[in-house]
Amino acid sequence: MATIQNPTPDTNLTDGMHIVVDALKKNGIETMYGVVGIPITDLARHAQEAGIRFIGCRHEQSAGYAAQAAGFLTKKPGILLTVSAPGFLNGLTSLANATTNGFPMIQISGSSDRAIIDLQQGDYEGLDQMSIAKPFAKASYRINKPEDIATGIARAIRAAISGRPGGVYLDLTTALLASVVDKDAADKTLFAPVDPSPALIPSPESIDRAMKLIAGAKKPLIILGKGAAYAQADDTIKEFIEKTNIPYIPMSMAKGLLPDNHPQSAASARGFVLENADVVVLMGARLNWLLSHGKGKHWNPNVQFVQLDIDGMEFDSNRPIAAPVAGDIVSSINAFVAGLATTPIKASDDWVKAVNDAKIPNDEKMKVKLNNTDLPMDYFSALNAMKKVLDNYKDMYIINEGANTLDDGRNVIDMYKPRHRLDCGTWGVMGVGMGFAIGAAVTSGESVVAIEGDSAFGFDGMEIETICRFKLPVTTVIFNNGGIYNDSHVDLSGRGDPSPTTLMADAHYDKMIEAFGGVPYFVQTPEELSKALEEGIASKKPTLINVVINRTCGTESGHIGNLNPKVLSNK
Ligand code: ADP
Ligand code: TZD
Ligand code: MG
């Protein structure tokens, strides 16, 4: 397909930008998130004209978080569109987060003149983007020729959603976008890959080995991870858990795979089950720091692991896995359910009772905390005021970030539907909230409640304008305790500077949304909070609720203060 330099008026022509849009459409891409500028502004316009929704955000990082939320919810790669160099770099954190979390996403970025970049001659926004993206992406490609556009996009899609999903970088040079070619020839290159996310059928031996190990366990436990949520095997997972009566705990983004009020949920006896379980079945969950690597005082030292994962490289990463099952969760769980006919599994009544007994004191303690009536509110009384409302909206998408706001929010707010909770994830990253809220609202067309620490919100707060511009039904709730973790009020500078953790406790974040025509609330009591939340949800209007939280009640780093390096004196 020759590039046409001097077209005659009657030639049927197209250009690189249009071919990219045609190829995306051919692959069923319906939405793009991004920030425009040289050289991709027209690409966004063409996409919009062709029926692809373009959600213009205020920062590429938020746009990337929106895209990967869409990827997690739909199993189709979310698309982030960025300009060269700084825009590309702004998006890169989100791409890395997608790779780390196993969310499928493609960052498509325009790039400047290769010849000038490679000779370091100082092009406008010149940067060797593809090389920089490589360590942060599952795969990284550049398309140089218009006849390769369809192939490049197919490769990016396959890389994003086959095996363990992840972030993919796709570099489009300015020359490529501007290349003019014959339209009929270009149309012939378009295709959608066949079966881009192929099933990975586990071997019968691996299923048999795993089921025998579980069947012989005295104290089995299932841990559901976000890989299981992503796989969309909801009914079969429920069937396996209910038929075997094995207690389970959900990792944060697997909450709702089974409703959190399910009798087999051992979430409130988490410490007890980890310390006691003799066989743990990891379903789409890694044994990383979130599970203290499967080691140490939190775990039964003699525990044996079954692990269901699509990525064979994951096994033995932290602890030896006695029964690895390499397969996609849909296929593996189907095989498990079928295998129950020959290898029946039933958790013993003694174990189930012990787990249920362990829940009782913890549930009681939690009740006391939730019913605290002190003012200003603390995390638990504020979350309780929200829970009372949210329990009536079981389809609600919940976004959650912060430290205490995250950790306490995860424990208090019950989820009832799979893939309805998005949070700081594997990296514990701040700044995902507004992007995730946008991605969830756009993708689902449903309402979203974002529960945000005041610091966490600050990373991407300007996206409130995006939420208002697109009239998204997002209620943002800011737990304002005046700081990162809390407001320690210790001035070590001797010059009146705020402490490193201090933010403005008397800030009126609610005023921000007023500037964009959204609905503001400033609340100080549980009653006011419940009422504002109810109204925000019912109105479906962009709403922001500034919740006054006691400045002293947050703990340093939330539940993971132990990960801070030990210092000689603690200020
Ligand atoms: P969590 O943080 O919830 O514990 P992780 O992100 O650590 O979950 O682990 C998710 C795991 O799920 C990853 O190891 C990933 O390879 C795996 N995974 C993702 N999708 C699938 C799938 N469709 N089938 C099987 N495993 C999957
Ligand atoms: N920057 C990024 C991108 N991610 C991070 N996790 C941090 C910084 C460090 N950090 C945390 O780990 S939690 C947090 C920061 C800055 C904010 C906690 O304050 P908050 O929540 O107001 O959001 P709470 O309720 O006050 O604990
Ligand atoms: Mg805070």
Side-chain angles (χ1 to χ4, degrees):
M1 193 159 62
T3 305
I4 297 171
Q5 303 291 355
N6 297 305
T8 57
D10 55 347
T11 346
N12 186 16
L13 296 174
T14 188
D15 56 38
M17 284 196 195
H18 281 94
I19 306 172
V20 169
V21 170
D22 291 345
L24 291 170
K25 281 214 69 156
K26 185 89 184 174
N27 281 280
I29 300 297
E30 293 165 350
T31 310
M32 274 185 196
Y33 303 84
V35 179
V36 298
I38 296 170
I40 47 92
T41 311
D42 276 338
L43 177 56
R45 287 200 186 102
H46 294 327
Q48 201 174 47
E49 193 179 14
I52 295 178
R53 206 163 176 212
F54 185 80
I55 309 292
C57 295
R58 302 304 297 262
H59 193 287
E60 291 86 353
Q61 184 174 293
S62 322
Y65 289 137
Q68 66 196 246
F72 174 62
L73 298 178
T74 63
K75 293 180 103 170
K76 284 203 281 188
I79 308 290
L80 164 64
L81 185 64
T82 59
V83 304
S84 25
F88 155 78
L89 284 172
N90 280 347
L92 198 55
T93 306
S94 67
L95 190 76
N97 189 64
T99 306
T100 303
N101 279 275
F103 290 169
M105 157 183 172
I106 303 172
Q107 178 174 356
I108 299 179
S109 189
S111 62
S112 304
D113 190 305
R114 295 258 13 112
I116 302 177
I117 293 168
D118 289 350
L119 253 186
Q120 310 252 331
Q121 292 174 312
D123 200 10
Y124 168 72
E125 297 193 347
L127 190 72
D128 184 9
Q129 295 168 192
M130 186 178 73
S131 307
I132 290 165
K134 271 185 186 161
F136 303 103
K138 186 179 166 195
S140 210
Y141 305 106
R142 175 161 46 237
I143 309 178
N144 289 295
K145 297 194 275 184
E147 57 266 42
D148 289 339
I149 289 174
T151 301
I153 286 180
R155 296 211 72 189
I157 288 175
R158 269 198 192 280
I161 58 176
S162 61
R164 176 187 286 169
V168 176
Y169 178 64
L170 187 61
D171 194 278
L172 306 180
T173 62
T174 299
L176 174 89
L177 294 168
S179 56
V180 175
V181 293
D182 181 80
K183 182 161 175 13
D184 295 334
D187 283 350
K188 286 199 189 106
T189 64
L190 298 177
F191 73 103
V194 176
D195 194 12
S197 175
L200 180 64
I201 312 290
S203 75
E205 297 76 29
S206 70
I207 295 292
D208 195 46
R209 189 190 302 119
M211 293 193 68
K212 288 205 169 108
L213 185 61
I214 307 168
K218 293 202 163 49
K219 299 173 177 180
L221 172 71
I222 291 171
I223 299 183
L224 298 170
K226 58 179 162 328
Y230 172 81
Q232 301 194 8
D234 312 339
D235 292 343
T236 337
I237 288 175
K238 186 162 183 277
E239 185 181 346
F240 182 76
I241 290 180
E242 290 184 342
K243 281 193 169 151
T244 60
N245 207 30
I246 298 176
Y248 73 92
I249 52 175
M251 302 300 287
S252 69
M253 283 191 241
K255 273 166 69 78
L257 199 40
L258 276 75
D260 275 335
N261 60 357
H262 193 285
Q264 283 171 256
S265 168
S268 64
R270 193 174 191 275
F272 176 83
V273 288
L274 292 185
E275 265 168 46
N276 287 283
D278 59 354
V279 172
V280 169
V281 186
L282 299 160
M283 287 189 185
R286 286 170 285 186
L287 267 185
N288 56 16
W289 69 277
L290 287 157
L291 288 167
S292 44
H293 308 279
K295 302 174 199 167
K297 62 179 172 30
H298 302 295
W299 287 86
N300 174 350
N302 300 316
V303 62
Q304 288 189 287
F305 290 100
V306 174
Q307 186 164 27
L308 279 60
D309 207 291
I310 201 162
D311 186 350
M313 274 172 65
E314 185 56 37
F315 306 126
D316 305 329
S317 59
N318 286 271
R319 286 283 305 263
I321 303 297
V325 179
D328 72 275
I329 296 269
V330 173
S331 306
S332 300
I333 293 287
N334 280 342
F336 267 25
V337 170
L340 288 174
T342 45
T343 314
I345 298 175
K346 196 88 187 166
S348 76
D349 292 346
D350 286 353
W351 170 233
V352 170
K353 181 171 181 321
V355 174
N356 286 336
D357 287 350
K359 290 195 241 175
I360 295 167
N362 294 340
D363 290 345
E364 286 303 318
K365 271 186 228 155
M366 178 60 95
K367 250 186 223 152
V368 173
K369 286 192 202 170
L370 293 177
N371 291 320
N372 170 23
T373 54
D374 293 349
L375 291 177
M377 286 180 278
D378 65 6
Y379 288 94
F380 291 96
S381 53
L383 285 164
N384 192 36
M386 294 189 67
K387 181 175 162 56
K388 283 180 184 164
V389 177
L390 291 172
D391 276 344
N392 298 322
Y393 293 95
K394 295 197 161 54
D395 289 337
M396 188 61 66
Y397 284 86
I398 301 289
I399 312 297
N400 194 192
E401 63 172 335
N404 297 276
T405 306
L406 173 85
D407 290 335
D408 297 338
R410 182 179 56 237
N411 287 348
V412 173
I413 303 298
D414 282 339
M415 301 304 302
Y416 301 93
K417 292 280 160 67
R419 295 171 298 283
H420 275 57
R421 181 185 159 89
L422 285 145
D423 65 28
C424 307
T426 304
W427 258 352
V429 63
M430 298 299 122
V432 289
M434 295 295 95
F436 279 176
I438 292 166
V442 167
T443 306
S444 69
E446 307 281 333
S447 295
V448 175
V449 169
I451 311 172
E452 301 272 312
D454 53 334
S455 165
F457 172 73
F459 285 76
D460 56 350
M462 193 63 198
E463 299 300 341
I464 282 291
E465 189 273 341
T466 308
I467 289 171
C468 290
R469 182 162 27 99
F470 282 91
K471 303 184 175 56
L472 299 176
V474 175
T475 299
T476 303
V477 182
I478 298 174
F479 277 21
N480 186 358
N481 68 335
I484 298 176
Y485 316 134
N486 55 42
D487 176 9
S488 68
H489 277 310
V490 180
D491 171 20
L492 298 170
S493 71
R495 47 192 272 178
D497 280 353
S499 85
T501 63
T502 299
L503 299 170
M504 293 178 73
D506 49 3
H508 270 264
Y509 292 103
D510 44 310
K511 299 277 182 205
M512 286 176 65
I513 202 162
E514 255 186 302
F516 307 115
V519 184
Y521 289 92
F522 181 84
V523 303
Q524 304 185 75
T525 65
E527 295 72 29
E528 287 171 1
L529 173 52
S530 296
K531 184 165 178 285
L533 181 61
E534 184 75 54
E535 287 175 8
I537 294 171
S539 74
K540 291 195 174 287
K541 288 186 185 151
T543 298
L544 193 149
I545 307 172
N546 182 341
V547 185
V548 177
I549 301 281
N550 189 324
R551 297 176 187 199
T552 61
C553 66
T555 51
E556 178 108 356
S557 305
H559 294 184
I560 53 172
N562 60 311
L563 299 182
N564 281 306
K566 303 282 173 286
V567 289
L568 293 176
S569 71
N570 232 331
K571 300 288 176 190

